[in-house]
Amino acid sequence: MKIAIALRALANERRLLILDWLRDPKKHFRAQEDGDLVEDGVCGLLIAEKLGVSAPTLSEHMRVLIAAKLVRAKRIKQWTMYKRDEDAIASVKRVIHDKV
């Protein structure tokens, strides 16, 4: 994992909000028709709706989070579901703790 890429991804308030919401998706998002919020992840449209941004803007935020390996994407039908990668997030936390 490249810590600099992860830190750049985390240096955005909206991406931090997304990661926080994805930690407990049932608390932050309504039920979705396809896929389980916890098992499969949250549909990008629900995240964009909650964040108050367009789908292309959300796609860019998610592209950055995926590139940093903090989030995983999964396709179900025509939807993209997003889920936190808890192992990668824990790794970033360890590296930050060790360096600071």
Side-chain angles (χ1 to χ4, degrees), residues 3-92:
I3 192 66
I5 294 170
L7 291 175
R8 278 192 294 273
L10 295 171
N12 180 285
E13 197 64 38
R14 288 186 169 176
R15 290 193 284 270
L16 289 173
L17 271 175
I18 293 166
L19 286 173
D20 184 49
W21 294 337
L22 292 178
R23 182 185 338 214
D24 189 358
K26 286 187 175 182
K27 176 181 175 186
H28 295 285
F29 297 98
R30 61 179 166 80
Q32 53 195 20
E33 190 171 317
D34 294 311
D36 181 79
L37 286 171
V38 175
E39 292 298 315
D40 299 312
V42 178
C43 178
L45 289 178
L46 294 181
I47 301 170
E49 179 182 280
K50 185 168 179 77
L51 198 57
V53 298
S54 67
T57 298
L58 178 76
S59 291
E60 179 59 19
H61 284 302
M62 300 316 291
R63 184 194 65 74
V64 171
L65 290 169
I66 290 167
K69 303 198 182 330
L70 301 173
V71 170
R72 287 180 273 130
K74 175 181 182 178
R75 293 287 294 181
I76 296 180
K77 296 183 180 177
Q78 73 271 28
W79 312 112
T80 303
M81 309 299 187
Y82 297 100
K83 184 175 179 176
R84 286 167 51 113
D85 186 330
E86 297 298 342
D87 291 337
I89 291 169
S91 178
V92 169

